[in-house]
Amino acid sequence: MTLLRDPTHAAPDRWLELPERERVRWGDVVWASTDLDPDDQARMGKHMIVWGPVQSVVRGKEVFLNFFDRRGAVILDEECQAAVQQRVEQLGIDWAEGWVDGWGVIVYGVTRPLKNGTRVSIRPKDPRWVAVRRIPGSSRP
């Protein structure tokens, strides 16, 4: 999926409707996990589409899908987790060891700083807002 490689191919004049922001340009909504910045107040507490490779999976009451450079994490609550886990199993991804190689995530959710203040979380309210996909060109099957 090209969005996992580079979302900038989208037409800059494309618009999206978001709950608290009304109409916004595509480029202001879709951004890479490497661009996550908890100090960017204009993007915190907003609905965003964030994409990037998953580095690890940390399980607990909530599941954390940590992005590659660990600047942020997708946080799945229990309700979301069950549906996403079912899809992950259908895709044949093994999250048991906590390490994910060659897979990425695209998620639509609200961005918030994590407790330590140096990273960002994005929390989807609905499991349909999470897409797990093979990264194009990944060497692993």
Side-chain angles (χ1 to χ4, degrees), residues 108-127:
Y108 171 69
V110 178
T111 52
R112 291 200 172 86
L114 285 167
K115 288 181 183 176
N116 67 8
T118 62
R119 293 185 287 164
V120 176
S121 71
I122 181 164
R123 297 172 183 261
K125 293 181 182 176
D126 188 308

Side-chain angles (χ1 to χ4, degrees), residues 3 7 10-31 47-50 107-108:
L3 186 59
D13 58 347
R14 185 173 176 187
W15 292 82
L16 294 174
E17 300 279 344
L18 292 182
E20 78 290 327
R21 299 169 69 184
E22 299 180 2
R23 286 185 84 225
V24 290
R25 289 186 184 276
W26 176 266
D28 293 332
V29 175
V30 181
W31 49 311
H47 283 81
M48 296 284 179
I49 299 170
V50 179
V107 61
Y108 171 69

